[in-house]
Amino acid sequence: MNRRLGYVCGGLAMIMAGSGCRKEDGPTLAEGQVLEMTTNQPVPYASVALYSQAGSGLHSGYGQAGKEITADADGRFSFSFESDKGASYILKASSAKGHHSHWGEEPVLTNGKKNLNLRIPMAAPAWVKIRVAASTGPVPHSILVWGPWHDLGYISTLDLRPTDYTNVSYHVIDSTLPTKSVQWEVNFGGQLTRYQQVFSVQPFDTAEVVVKY
C-alpha cells in the first residue's frame, strides 16, 4: 500500500513538474532598457524588435514578429503582445547609429507573464580604414584583404588590383570584438605572401590599417 502510494505521488510530482515547464500563452509584457555593452549607458531611441520561433531551439529558427518599437530617450521600452503556446520569444535591438545586439545575449521572455527589468545589451560600431602603402618599386598583381567588418554582408574580402591601390575604404566593425585584426595576401606573379595587423579601436572611433608588402 505504501509502495503504491509512493508511485502515485511520484507520478503526480512528475506531472506537476512537467506542467510547470510548459510554455503558456496569452498577454505578455516586455519592459526594460537598451544599454551599450562597453559603457553600460542607455541607448536613446533604439529600435526594439520581438523575435519568435516555434521551438527549433536554434537561433536560425527565429524570425521577427510584428513591428519594431522605439525606446525613449533613456533607452526604456514597454509593450505587450499575445504570445502563442509552444512559441519562444526573445528581444533584439538596433539603432540608427549602428548599434546592434548579439545573438545569444538577448533576453528570453516568459510567455503569459510580466517580463520586467529586462536588459538588452548592444554593441557600438567602430570603423577600420584600409589603405595600401605607397611604393616606388614593383607593385603586386593583386592584394586580397579581409577583416572583421560586416558592411559587405557575408563577403568581407577586398580583392584589390593596382588601380585600386590609391583608394581608401572604410568598413564597419563591432567594437566589442575581443581580437581585431586585418589580414592580407600579396600576389607577386603567383608568389603569395601573407601579412596581418592587429589593431584596437574605441566605440565610434576609426582605426587605420596600412596594407604593406
Side-chain angles (χ1 to χ4, degrees):
M1 182 66 180
N2 291 339
R3 182 178 297 177
R4 182 177 298 175
L5 181 60
Y7 289 154
V8 172
C9 291
L12 288 173
M14 291 178 65
I15 293 172
M16 292 176 67
S19 64
C21 294
R22 290 197 196 107
K23 295 186 178 72
E24 301 298 334
D25 58 357
T28 303
L29 173 67
E31 187 173 289
Q33 190 174 27
V34 183
L35 301 169
E36 189 176 305
M37 289 182 185
T38 53
T39 65
N40 207 36
Q41 294 298 308
V43 180
Y45 310 113
S47 297
V48 179
L50 178 70
Y51 278 67
S52 69
Q53 61 125 303
S56 69
L58 302 175
H59 279 127
S60 59
Y62 278 96
Q64 187 170 336
K67 297 180 179 180
E68 295 180 349
I69 68 158
T70 303
D72 66 14
D74 295 317
R76 297 191 179 278
F77 61 89
S78 180
F79 67 95
S80 298
F81 66 96
E82 287 290 328
S83 59
D84 296 326
K85 186 175 291 187
S88 299
Y89 296 91
I90 60 174
L91 296 179
K92 295 190 68 63
S94 60
S95 82
K97 291 185 176 182
H99 293 89
H100 67 278
S101 53
H102 288 171
W103 284 106
E105 297 183 17
E106 59 280 310
V108 178
L109 304 183
T110 302
N111 299 6
K113 304 293 183 181
K114 293 181 178 180
N115 297 268
L116 306 176
N117 301 316
L118 299 173
R119 295 164 62 90
I120 307 180
M122 290 190 16
W127 292 266
V128 58
K129 173 184 176 182
I130 304 293
R131 69 177 179 87
V132 178
S135 175
T136 57
V139 297
H141 293 80
S142 64
I143 304 176
L144 199 63
V145 186
W146 62 96
W149 48 79
H150 54 79
D151 53 297
L152 300 180
Y154 291 105
I155 302 174
S156 58
T157 302
L158 304 176
D159 190 0
L160 305 179
R161 295 297 187 269
T163 55
D164 304 316
Y165 295 168
T166 57
N167 298 335
V168 174
S169 60
Y170 292 82
H171 305 280
V172 183
I173 64 170
D174 184 337
S175 65
T176 66
L177 291 175
T179 301
K180 306 178 211 23
S181 67
V182 172
Q183 300 181 62
W184 60 93
E185 191 173 72
V186 178
N187 180 3
F188 272 105
Q191 182 175 351
L192 305 178
T193 306
R194 184 170 294 185
Y195 302 86
Q196 176 177 308
Q197 180 178 328
V198 177
F199 65 94
S200 61
V201 65
Q202 297 299 314
F204 296 105
D205 204 352
T206 301
E208 182 180 59
V209 172
V210 180
V211 175
K212 301 177 181 180
Y213 51 88

